[in-house]
Amino acid sequence: MIRTSRTTRITRAVVAALVVLVLLAALGFIYASPYIALDRVKRAADARDAQTVNQYVDFPALRASLKEQIAALLTRRVDIQKSGNPLAIIGAMIGAALVGPLVDSYATPDGVAAILNGIPPRGEPGERPPPQAGDAAPASSVMAGPPPPKEPPQTTAGYRSLNTFVVTYRHGAGDARYSAIFHRDGLVSWKLVAVDLNG
């Protein structure tokens, strides 16, 4: 009887320890899930695996975010140029017409690869994501984005809230920052939904 009681207590202790370990492992996986999603979408975008990229990117939300951010970039440029420049209104109209094609070029697996590799859109007319190694050079009539940086950008990543995860990129102390924003899509799934070109 004593042996059975002692065995029961040991069994309960072992079961309780296993339950705690499983819960800790599950919580650790849930916490790490956006880091895992970031790694997977970056690898898929670099490999041009559009099917996997589609699983980790909400393209309609990303497109809307890019449109808003690029329009804001162009507006700031026009505001700076307005002082003493009578052609600023024409420039603003041309810039507004170019937002759509620029957004469309970055709301693609190539654009996601550029964004996640530290090469955001700059809002330049005719700009496209830069070609990756092995790609053909872009046609001369289309302006590629900036060349890939010689060194990878400095990145910081972390939770902004329980359901928002932000990756911030910067190339150097004086360079502008920008952020890629992921939202939770289920318990452990995350999707890239926005870009903040102001950091």
Side-chain angles (χ1 to χ4, degrees):
M1 194 74 167
I2 294 172
R3 221 177 254 176
T4 304
S5 176
R6 184 179 294 167
T7 304
T8 303
R9 275 184 285 166
I10 291 172
T11 304
R12 284 182 185 164
V14 169
V15 169
L18 286 174
V19 168
V20 168
L21 284 174
V22 167
L23 283 174
L24 288 174
L27 289 173
F29 181 71
I30 291 169
Y31 177 81
S33 61
Y35 295 94
I36 294 167
L38 172 63
D39 180 63
R40 287 182 181 163
V41 71
K42 187 176 180 319
R43 286 175 188 262
D46 289 345
R48 305 293 169 74
D49 179 355
Q51 185 175 357
T52 303
V53 170
N54 287 337
Q55 294 173 4
Y56 291 98
V57 179
D58 181 343
F59 279 108
L62 180 61
R63 187 173 275 109
S65 170
L66 284 166
K67 186 173 184 180
E68 179 184 321
Q69 293 289 312
I70 292 169
L73 274 177
L74 293 173
T75 301
R76 281 194 298 276
R77 279 199 200 129
V78 168
D79 287 345
I80 290 170
Q81 294 174 353
K82 270 186 183 175
S83 54
N85 187 351
L87 300 176
I89 295 173
I90 295 172
M93 290 175 13
I94 292 171
L98 296 173
V99 168
L102 198 157
V103 167
D104 289 342
S105 72
Y106 270 86
T108 62
D110 289 349
V112 170
I115 289 166
L116 296 179
N117 281 301
I119 310 167
R122 297 171 299 164
E124 302 291 338
E127 179 184 359
R128 298 183 59 78
Q132 293 185 349
D135 287 351
S140 58
S141 60
V142 177
M143 182 180 130
K150 292 177 183 171
E151 294 182 17
Q154 301 168 358
T155 58
T156 55
Y159 284 88
R160 183 177 285 171
S161 70
L162 183 63
N163 296 317
T164 304
F165 184 80
V166 178
V167 185
T168 302
Y169 299 82
R170 174 180 272 177
H171 283 287
D175 290 348
R177 298 180 317 160
Y178 76 97
S179 301
I181 302 166
F182 290 77
H183 280 181
R184 189 183 297 276
D185 183 46
L187 185 61
V188 293
S189 298
W190 294 81
K191 288 197 172 195
L192 175 64
V193 296
V195 174
D196 181 357
L197 297 177
N198 298 315

